[in-house]
Amino acid sequence: MWSVLLVFVATYILIAARRLAILPIGRSAGALAGACGMVVLSALIPGAGLTPDEAFAAIEPNTIGLLLGMMLLSASLDATGVFERAAAWVARRDLSPVRLLYVVTVGAGLASAVLLNDSVCVMLAPLVDRTARRAGLDRIPYLLALAMGANAGSALTLAGNPQNMLVGHLSGISYRDYLLEAGPAALIGLAVTAVALHLLLRRRIAARTAPPAIEPAWEPAPPDGRPSALVPLACLAVVSVLFVLGANLAWTAICGAAAAILLHRRDAGGLFARVSWPVLLFFGALFIVVAGLQKTGIPEQALRAMSPLLPSGPTLGVVGLSLALLVGCQIVSNVPFILLAESYIQSQPDPHLAWIATALISTLAGNFTLLGSVANIIVVEVVGAEREIGFRSYARVGVPVTLASCAAALLWLLLAR
């Protein structure tokens, strides 16, 4: 038991150390090393770790497949230059700094609900950075708006982020039911996020770092050689409709991506190169590491020991679960914490409501700290803002934004029930 716990802790240290720039081996490599450790442990100590067959069985194919399909759809849309054209359209409107903040926050949130928050941040971070610089504005508020808006908005659907995909599989809640029940609460969370960012960053938004750049209006790259955006947009629309109608999420996304590739009749090598394969490897390996720890029964024992300290009952139990999620997602990240807490969530008086709250709070909790969401790290790293957005400077904004948005979304969810 303790040997498995040691492998799990060592894996998490490797993952966190990459994000803290102590051991530069990467999140995916750290998770892969942990997965290998669980399998090697089973060979060295009978009954410990996972056998090779158990390790492969632990990987959740529906989550991996949905991630792959949505990444390919996002890549096919990005290849058409649609995001560049959207950014150029915003730049031509010469919005006030405050309006630009709301456009970035809400726009990133709505896009993430359809296209996956990590993919949206990869595609939009350079464009948001360029828009702010061209207007002579401090770029930090807008980068924070992109990351936090993408996180908050991704709570709208089960396809908005990896943890919601996992919740959809574990709970059996349909895409349509989740959208109807959690959608309004997620929209409120997104709105509160935008307002809170405005209030907290109003001084930085008002101050200009430089005069607006005097240059020709920003236009996107010429469309020569680029495929039409109509094909991926149509495929994405069909996929979204099928999601609502109850089709299998993973295969619907994969088939939608395949249709977009076939209809373009082009070499798909460039699209596959845009897929974040390390992220897929990371989640696959993480499933194995968490399954090894779950086999020991330690997570269940820990949650049982902690449950008397949390409120109980149909309503207060959800509040207690939300507090546990808010803290636990900062310690071991949202996806592994949901995997570890599955039995505790299922044991709630109203498991359906508990799963809805899990998806909402675990997503909004990603804004709490810089390490709370992969999307945060992506935005910082893509535009090279590591020195300007540190752990403490992010937390000064992220903590109040998260507490306000979680409270508002949870209150609406409970009142609606």
Side-chain angles (χ1 to χ4, degrees):
M1 177 184 294
W2 295 110
S3 57
V4 173
L5 184 60
L6 180 62
V7 171
F8 179 84
V9 172
T11 302
Y12 178 71
I13 290 174
L14 287 174
I15 295 171
R18 164 62 183 91
R19 292 192 279 182
L20 296 174
I22 298 173
L23 295 174
I25 67 170
R27 291 160 43 90
S28 301
L32 181 62
C36 292
M38 288 293 180
V39 174
V40 170
L41 204 58
S42 70
L44 299 177
I45 306 174
L50 296 175
T51 65
D53 289 341
E54 289 174 330
F56 281 121
I59 300 174
E60 210 296 288
N62 287 282
T63 303
I64 302 297
L66 182 54
L67 274 169
L68 174 60
M70 296 309 297
M71 284 180 178
L72 281 170
L73 279 171
S74 298
S76 65
L77 194 57
D78 185 37
T80 67
V82 67
F83 292 105
E84 291 182 19
R85 290 196 287 272
W89 181 86
V90 171
R92 287 195 300 270
R93 293 299 173 276
D94 194 23
L95 301 175
S96 69
V98 171
R99 287 186 178 180
L100 180 61
L101 183 83
Y102 279 97
V103 167
V104 172
T105 307
V106 176
L110 296 179
S112 296
V114 181
L115 291 172
L116 193 67
N117 61 341
D118 295 349
S119 298
V120 168
C121 288
V122 168
M123 293 181 285
L124 292 186
L127 303 179
V128 170
D129 182 51
R130 181 175 178 180
T131 300
R133 289 178 180 274
R134 182 178 179 277
L137 299 171
D138 182 351
R139 64 174 182 163
I140 301 306
Y142 302 96
L143 294 176
L144 292 175
L146 172 61
M148 295 187 186
N151 287 330
S154 69
L156 272 163
T157 68
L158 286 178
N161 56 61
Q163 62 269 20
N164 278 18
M165 296 176 184
L166 181 62
V167 166
H169 172 71
L170 296 177
S171 66
I173 298 173
S174 70
Y175 186 95
R176 179 181 58 190
D177 289 345
Y178 177 85
L179 181 62
L180 292 175
E181 294 186 53
L187 282 174
I188 290 173
L190 177 59
V192 170
T193 297
V195 173
L197 283 169
H198 177 199
L199 295 176
L200 291 167
L201 299 171
R202 58 188 182 278
R203 292 183 179 178
R204 296 194 68 166
I205 296 170
R208 291 188 180 270
T209 59
I214 301 175
E215 58 183 56
W218 175 21
E219 295 292 343
D224 295 345
R226 283 188 167 181
S228 169
L230 293 178
V231 170
L233 284 174
C235 291
L236 184 61
V238 171
V239 166
S240 299
V241 171
L242 290 176
F243 281 169
V244 173
L245 294 178
N248 180 275
L249 298 182
W251 278 108
T252 300
I254 291 173
C255 290
I261 292 172
L262 291 172
L263 290 173
H264 271 156
R265 295 186 298 173
R266 295 167 183 256
D267 182 7
L271 294 183
F272 286 109
R274 293 170 182 250
V275 171
S276 183
W277 298 106
V279 171
L280 298 179
L281 174 63
F282 171 75
F283 281 106
L286 197 60
F287 281 124
I288 297 173
V289 174
V290 173
L293 184 62
Q294 285 178 318
K295 187 179 178 181
T296 66
I298 293 176
E300 189 174 352
Q301 295 171 14
L303 288 169
R304 276 204 304 264
M306 185 182 66
S307 58
L309 304 176
L310 297 173
S312 59
T315 300
L316 292 179
V318 173
V319 176
L321 172 64
S322 299
L323 293 174
L325 286 165
L326 193 60
V327 175
C329 289
Q330 308 309 315
I331 298 174
V332 295
S333 191
N334 40 32
V335 171
F337 186 78
I338 291 171
L339 288 169
L340 293 172
E342 178 185 357
S343 60
Y344 175 69
I345 298 169
Q346 200 63 45
S347 68
Q348 294 295 307
D350 187 347
H352 181 89
L353 178 61
W355 281 115
I356 295 289
T358 296
L360 277 172
I361 302 302
S362 65
T363 298
L364 293 172
N367 286 334
F368 199 80
T369 68
L370 182 61
L371 307 182
S373 168
V374 177
N376 302 339
I377 306 300
I378 288 173
V379 170
V380 171
E381 291 186 351
V382 165
V383 300
E386 294 89 346
R387 293 185 178 181
E388 298 163 274
I389 305 179
F391 187 88
R392 290 184 180 179
S393 61
Y394 183 97
R396 281 195 292 269
V397 179
V399 170
V401 166
T402 302
L403 294 178
S405 60
C406 284
L410 187 60
L411 179 61
W412 175 271
L413 184 65
L414 294 176
L415 289 175
R417 294 286 289 188

